[in-house]
Amino acid sequence: MREILQFHVGQAGIQIGNTAWELLCLEHGIQPDGSAPSSQNLQVLFSESSTKANVPRAAFFDDDPLTINSLNRGPLKKVLNQNLIKLFKDDASSIWASKKIKQYDEKDRSTRTAEEIVRKMLESADAASAIIIYHSLAGGFGSGFTCQLLQLLNDETAKTTKLTVSVFPSTKQDQLFTQPIVEPYNTILTLPTLSEMSDFNILYDNAAMYKVCQNQLDFETPNYSHLNYMIAQTISSISQSIRFRGTKLVDFNDMRNNLVTTPKQKYLWASYSPFIYSDQQHLKKPNLQNITESLFDDSGHLLSFNRLTHRYLGSSLFFKGDCPLPELNYVIKQIKQSEEIRFAEGTQVAYQTCVSNAQPCTLPNYPFAKYNKAACMLAHSTGVLYNFESLKKRFSTLYQKRAFVSWYVGQGLEEGQFNESNESLQQIIELYKGQHGDGKPIEVQPKTDRKQEYGYKKEKQAQQQPQVKKTQEVKKTQEVKKTQAPKANNQLTTAKVENNNYSEDAYDQRAPAKVQQKPQNLQTNNQKLSNSAKPNRIQQEDDSYVNQPQQQEDANQINQPQQQEIINQQAPQQDDGAPLQLQEAQQQNENDLYDESNDQQLKQNDQQGPKANQLNAVENLDIK
């Protein structure tokens, strides 16, 4: 079997474990007495006792009797194995004291030591696939004993995947919960051990989870139980591929190969969706695309950082419930086209997906709505720089004044270990800075225009491009018409023939424009007949030939003043002593205009059709 072993260290680790195991028992149908009617892969998380009860594969360690008593009095008191619960008599008093805890553990012979408990759990598993450690980096016992536990596990099982669920201390300006003042010391002393002996670490932030409760659930005063429920849902989603059946399954080794890029860069963060208040269950019905998009927004992040400046190094998506593959593939394709999600240079843009058929469950005592689908993301990005840099600043302000250093030296810790831990933290920061890029924020569009990022805008633009071209062509033709010079009044123009039909209307359109606009006082007998009844085509051709000399005289009379004005404008200024030259120039211009009118008249006759040309030829022969 591929068992998953879980260790809960300190107050934070036990409180998270109490909620997480309650949710896992509900998903597998485990009753309060440890019995299960029927479920698949129970051996992954549970071991069968002598009384045929299903016992969780989990061990609990703490030095506070209040947290241990909460387990013995809680809903899991009949399910947990009491031999795997260890209470240390000496109090760490919020000081990182790994050596002191080990010494008191060896002296205490009233119960089993920590080494004996760990070895018993390892022997109960045939082939453990993963080991999960829940703890807090800010507390003294949770940070100090975790280092000792990792060293012991590394000696016993070097090939098994080891991951930690770590509650990272909040930044100074976002510190909404009470934390010890020496939490920078405890955190910076634990990070080197996590970098060397664990395969990857999932970081959570109380301030980030507090904002999720305020934004999504509208909780004015959330408590630790709500935050523990969020962490429990992410752990349930990550381990679902081993516990349930599905279309796509991902193992812990696959997650490690996809997310961890270098041996020292192994700090991840998680996001989950949807988190909706139970009273608003019927009002809000998010679909698969909305749920997946919220994983990349601030609304679902369980760690504080600036999402507009960080770059992704890897991502794994876990889906539960009714998530059909065609729709899921379409959603992931749209996410790949988003400009807000940026990967580091040299990193392959890929989303590892895991889909299980199990329906998401919600605990009855918690005000969270239940839906038929849910999504979780485990991501690795440069956003952890924000937390590491703030941690280093807080550590520097304390260590420069050597504040509270004597407390750690009194527990057997050397002062030089602070400098070594600070240098290792600086190396981690430089590794992430090398892949962070320029650090410029992304320009984010409002949520109303969010659909434009996923291809909708491009399709609309493609449909509008031909219309834009047509409007540009129309504008060009209008500009060309404006630039063309206007026609002179003395030039004879003819109307355009739009069709080739030799009908009477078409022939009237081909007639000269000046002939159609003759004054009424110069009407001939043929024109009087045309007002009463339309002549046929032969009569119209005869009338045009008979009226040709008269039309020419009328045109010359009308255009003579205009021609005189053109000649006066074109003629250069001359002296009074040269009247003969002026007369010769005027006569020459008149001759030229007369020749042009004859040429235009000939062209007009050619346009009147082949019959008119034949009549002109016959008349010319008669005259000769």
Side-chain angles (χ1 to χ4, degrees):
M1 294 296 294
R2 303 164 63 186
E3 295 87 0
I4 299 175
L5 307 179
Q6 302 186 26
F7 296 91
H8 305 269
V9 182
Q11 181 181 1
I14 291 176
Q15 289 179 354
I16 295 170
N18 197 0
T19 306
W21 280 109
E22 189 177 355
L23 178 63
L24 294 174
C25 290
L26 180 63
E27 290 179 352
H28 288 276
I30 303 296
Q31 302 298 323
D33 57 351
S35 62
S38 62
S39 180
Q40 58 178 351
N41 296 334
L42 284 176
Q43 299 298 323
V44 175
L45 296 176
F46 302 91
S47 61
E48 189 175 355
S49 63
S50 59
T51 59
K52 295 184 179 181
N54 296 305
V55 179
R57 298 181 185 272
F60 301 86
F61 306 96
D62 196 13
D63 59 350
D64 188 2
L66 295 177
T67 56
I68 299 298
N69 292 333
S70 65
L71 291 173
N72 297 327
R73 297 176 181 177
L76 302 175
K77 59 183 178 181
K78 294 182 180 180
V79 180
L80 299 176
N81 188 358
Q82 298 297 325
N83 296 326
L84 301 179
I85 300 174
K86 172 67 176 178
L87 174 62
F88 290 85
K89 293 182 179 180
D90 186 45
D91 188 7
S93 64
S94 301
I95 300 298
W96 189 90
S98 178
K99 294 182 179 180
K100 182 181 178 181
I101 293 171
K102 186 176 182 180
Q103 292 174 0
Y104 278 93
D105 187 21
E106 293 175 354
K107 293 179 181 180
D108 186 11
R109 293 297 178 183
S110 59
T111 58
R112 291 182 178 180
T113 61
E115 294 182 1
E116 293 176 356
I117 293 172
V118 171
R119 288 173 182 173
K120 183 180 180 181
M121 288 191 63
L122 294 175
E123 290 175 359
S124 64
D126 296 334
S129 62
I131 297 174
I132 305 175
I133 301 174
Y134 301 82
H135 72 111
S136 175
L137 292 171
F141 186 86
S143 60
F145 184 76
T146 301
C147 296
Q148 181 184 349
L149 182 61
L150 283 172
Q151 291 177 0
L152 180 61
L153 292 172
N154 195 21
D155 296 336
E156 297 292 336
T157 58
K159 295 183 180 180
T160 307
T161 303
K162 293 177 285 295
L163 62 100
T164 63
V165 178
S166 307
V167 180
F168 201 84
S170 303
T171 57
K172 188 175 181 180
Q173 59 270 19
D174 293 336
Q175 191 168 357
L176 304 174
F177 299 92
T178 58
Q179 296 290 346
I181 193 171
V182 292
E183 63 181 8
Y185 288 161
N186 298 331
T187 305
I188 204 169
L189 290 171
T190 311
L191 288 177
T193 306
L194 297 180
S195 301
E196 294 177 2
M197 298 184 180
S198 64
D199 294 312
F200 57 90
N201 310 280
I202 307 173
L203 302 181
Y204 295 87
D205 184 9
N206 288 333
M209 292 186 285
Y210 187 89
K211 290 180 181 178
V212 171
C213 290
Q214 287 182 337
N215 296 331
Q216 294 192 19
L217 302 171
D218 296 332
F219 286 171
E220 296 181 358
T221 57
N223 51 28
Y224 283 112
S225 62
H226 299 147
L227 308 187
N228 297 333
Y229 176 83
M230 294 179 180
I231 298 174
Q233 285 287 359
T234 57
I235 300 302
S236 173
S237 300
I238 292 170
S239 61
Q240 67 182 354
S241 60
I242 302 174
R243 298 183 291 118
F244 301 105
R245 297 175 182 176
T247 54
K248 290 185 178 181
L249 301 179
V250 176
D251 195 0
F252 283 97
N253 294 326
D254 299 333
M255 284 187 277
R256 179 181 61 183
N257 297 330
N258 181 44
L259 298 174
V260 179
T261 56
T262 59
K264 290 187 177 181
Q265 288 180 302
K266 51 181 70 174
Y267 296 97
L268 316 178
W269 53 271
S271 61
Y272 185 86
S273 180
F275 284 130
I276 299 176
Y277 191 55
S278 58
D279 293 343
Q280 300 177 355
Q281 182 176 0
H282 300 287
L283 299 177
K284 297 181 180 180
K285 294 182 179 180
N287 54 16
L288 186 60
Q289 185 173 359
N290 295 333
I291 291 172
T292 309
E293 288 177 1
S294 62
L295 297 176
F296 299 89
D297 295 339
D298 293 336
S299 59
H301 292 176
L302 304 182
L303 183 69
S304 299
F305 61 90
N306 188 2
R307 73 179 185 90
L308 300 180
T309 58
H310 77 114
R311 292 179 181 270
Y312 285 88
L313 304 176
S315 177
S316 297
L317 303 175
F318 304 90
F319 296 91
K320 280 184 180 181
D322 185 15
C323 301
L325 283 179
E327 184 180 359
L328 183 61
N329 293 331
Y330 175 77
V331 171
I332 294 174
K333 183 179 179 181
Q334 300 299 326
I335 289 174
K336 289 181 179 180
Q337 299 176 0
S338 176
E339 297 179 356
E340 295 184 11
I341 304 172
R342 298 187 300 177
F343 279 76
E345 295 182 359
T347 305
Q348 184 179 3
V349 181
Y351 297 93
Q352 188 180 37
T353 57
C354 174
V355 183
S356 68
N357 300 327
Q359 295 293 328
C361 297
T362 56
L363 295 175
N365 298 328
Y366 291 83
F368 291 89
K370 182 180 178 180
Y371 285 96
N372 60 348
K373 61 187 69 176
C376 177
M377 181 177 67
L378 194 63
H380 188 199
S381 69
T382 59
V384 294
L385 273 174
Y386 176 75
N387 298 274
F388 289 154
E389 289 177 350
S390 63
L391 174 64
K392 187 178 179 181
K393 290 179 182 179
R394 296 175 63 190
F395 170 76
S396 299
T397 54
L398 289 175
Y399 190 70
Q400 285 176 359
K401 299 177 182 179
R402 297 296 189 273
F404 312 106
V405 175
S406 61
W407 295 5
Y408 291 85
V409 175
Q411 299 293 339
L413 184 68
E414 297 179 358
E415 188 175 351
Q417 193 170 353
F418 286 101
N419 296 326
E420 294 177 0
S421 301
N422 190 18
E423 290 177 0
S424 63
L425 178 61
Q426 183 62 31
Q427 292 176 1
I428 295 171
I429 291 173
E430 289 178 358
L431 287 174
Y432 280 106
K433 277 187 176 180
Q435 297 176 335
H436 189 57
D438 54 359
K440 294 181 180 179
I442 307 171
E443 295 181 359
V444 181
Q445 296 180 358
K447 290 185 179 180
T448 54
D449 299 332
R450 185 63 58 84
K451 290 184 178 181
Q452 296 180 1
E453 302 173 4
Y454 301 111
Y456 296 97
K457 186 178 180 181
K458 295 180 181 179
E459 294 178 359
K460 291 182 179 180
Q461 287 181 354
Q463 295 177 0
Q464 293 178 359
Q465 280 180 0
Q467 297 179 0
V468 174
K469 290 182 179 179
K470 289 181 180 180
T471 55
Q472 290 178 357
E473 291 178 357
V474 171
K475 289 181 180 179
K476 288 182 180 179
T477 53
Q478 291 178 357
E479 291 177 356
V480 170
K481 289 181 179 179
K482 290 180 180 179
T483 54
Q484 289 179 354
K487 295 181 181 180
N489 295 327
N490 59 348
Q491 294 179 357
L492 296 174
T493 58
T494 57
K496 293 183 180 179
V497 180
E498 295 180 356
N499 52 4
N500 295 325
N501 298 326
Y502 290 97
S503 61
E504 295 177 356
D505 297 334
Y507 191 82
D508 293 337
Q509 292 176 0
R510 293 175 59 185
K514 291 277 184 179
V515 176
Q516 294 178 0
Q517 297 178 359
K518 288 192 299 182
Q520 295 181 0
N521 55 0
L522 297 176
Q523 290 181 355
T524 59
N525 296 326
N526 293 328
Q527 290 175 350
K528 291 179 181 179
L529 292 172
S530 62
N531 293 328
S532 60
K534 282 186 178 181
N536 57 12
R537 187 171 179 179
I538 297 172
Q539 290 178 356
Q540 189 173 1
E541 290 176 354
D542 294 337
D543 294 338
S544 63
Y545 179 73
V546 171
N547 296 328
Q548 182 176 355
Q550 187 175 0
Q551 291 174 5
Q552 185 174 357
E553 291 177 0
D554 296 337
N556 292 333
Q557 290 177 3
I558 293 168
N559 295 329
Q560 187 173 2
Q562 296 177 358
Q563 293 174 2
Q564 187 65 33
E565 291 177 1
I566 292 169
I567 292 168
N568 294 333
Q569 291 176 2
Q570 292 179 355
Q573 294 181 358
Q574 297 179 359
D575 299 334
D576 297 334
L580 295 175
Q581 294 179 359
L582 181 61
Q583 291 178 3
E584 290 176 359
Q586 291 177 358
Q587 186 176 1
Q588 185 66 28
N589 291 328
E590 290 176 359
N591 294 330
D592 295 337
L593 291 172
Y594 181 78
D595 294 335
E596 288 178 1
S597 63
N598 290 332
D599 294 335
Q600 291 176 1
Q601 188 65 33
L602 292 173
K603 291 180 181 179
Q604 181 180 356
N605 294 331
D606 293 336
Q607 293 177 359
Q608 289 178 358
K611 292 183 180 181
N613 293 332
Q614 292 177 1
L615 293 172
N616 291 333
V618 172
E619 291 176 357
N620 290 331
L621 290 174
D622 295 336
I623 293 168
K624 289 179 181 180

